[in-house]
Every structure is written in structure tokens, then in C-alpha cells.
Amino acid sequence: EAVARASASNPGKSLSETELQAPVPRPGKIFAIGLNYADHILESKVATPEHQVWFTKAVTAVNGPYAPVEIAKAGPFVDYEVELVAIIGKGGRNIPAEKASEHIFGYCVGNDVTERHWQHRTQQWSLGKSFDTHAPFGPWITTTDALADVHDL
């Protein structure tokens, strides 16, 4: 429906001729959880974390879903993982777990591009996760009202 409306408002260009961008070009924050599934923990050859491993990515890492990812000369050990991106639509603090889903606007696919050498230089992963263009995501956001169960994604 949204694609049809966009096409109707711009009849001179087809979707295939359009450069799709990240649906949220400059988010206020990017938080992520590392080692968040069993296969990745096994391939990383580390113990299952006792607590969630949180890290941030700089907003300059945001990139369009089909845009080139820049590989820095100082970063020859690039890896990537597909991720489910949750777009927060309603702010808050001290939100009870049972109310957390009420704050999610929608979901989209993303790539967590990482320069592994820089990631593991210190205990904090953010440097290796935050190179410019290393967070492509989108192009679509599936809103929560369009999902019967997010676990079916």
C-alpha cells in the first residue's frame, strides 16, 4: 500500500530506480546485544554470557540497506551478522518488562558490520562496531500492528 502511494506521487520513477535509504537516517541512539544466539556463541568460542552483552554503535554507522559499506584501511578483518532491528517509537524510563513491547514502533532487518580487530582490542566493543557505514538497515519498517507475533519474523 505504501509503495503504491509513493509510486503514484512520483510517477516518473519506478521503485527499482529509487535509491532506498535507512528508514531512520539519524537515530538518537543505537543499542545492540552481542552474543545473542547460541550458534554465534559457539562460533565465537566463548562461554555463554551470564548477563546480556550490550554495546552501542555510533549514529554515523547508519547506512542505507543497499549502500556500499566502507572498509577502512585500518580495518581488514570485517565480519557481519544479520540482525532484527527494533525501532523504538515511544520513549520512557524504568519500563516494566511486560510493557516494553508498547514502546516498539516496528521492526526491520539490519546488518551489524564489525571490524573484529578493533572490536577485540579492548573490553568495550563500540569502536569496532562503529565505523562509518557499518550499520545498514531497512528499507522497510514492519509496524507492530502488522504483526500477530514478532517471533514469527
Side-chain angles (χ1 to χ4, degrees):
E1 205 177 296
V3 173
R5 281 195 312 268
S7 296
S9 68
N10 189 2
K13 248 186 180 181
S14 70
L15 182 59
S16 65
E17 298 173 303
T18 303
E19 183 181 345
L20 299 173
Q21 302 291 317
V24 183
R26 285 290 180 253
K29 299 174 188 163
I30 302 172
F31 285 106
I33 301 173
L35 301 171
N36 57 353
Y37 59 96
D39 287 348
H40 187 43
I41 293 169
L42 283 173
E43 74 183 8
S44 298
K45 299 181 175 124
V46 296
T48 300
E50 184 179 340
H51 302 285
Q52 292 174 335
V53 178
W54 286 84
F55 62 90
T56 61
K57 287 180 88 88
V59 297
T60 56
V62 169
N63 199 8
Y66 306 110
V69 172
E70 298 170 12
I71 307 300
K73 289 180 184 176
F77 303 105
V78 174
D79 194 5
Y80 61 93
E81 304 161 60
V82 67
E83 301 290 351
L84 176 65
V85 176
I87 309 294
I88 306 302
K90 177 180 169 186
R93 289 189 167 88
N94 304 311
I95 301 163
E98 63 274 4
K99 299 265 187 190
S101 63
E102 296 172 16
H103 293 260
I104 299 172
F105 172 73
Y107 300 90
C108 63
V109 68
N111 246 329
D112 174 18
V113 181
T114 305
E115 204 313 308
R116 296 287 185 207
H117 175 74
W118 286 92
Q119 175 191 3
H120 294 298
R121 287 184 79 156
T122 68
Q123 297 269 333
Q124 178 48 258
W125 293 357
S126 293
L127 184 59
K129 299 279 192 175
S130 292
F131 281 59
D132 289 354
T133 73
H134 282 206
F137 72 101
W140 318 116
I141 298 174
T142 300
T143 57
T144 55
D145 62 343
L147 295 169
D149 184 354
V150 68
H151 298 97
D152 287 339
L153 289 176

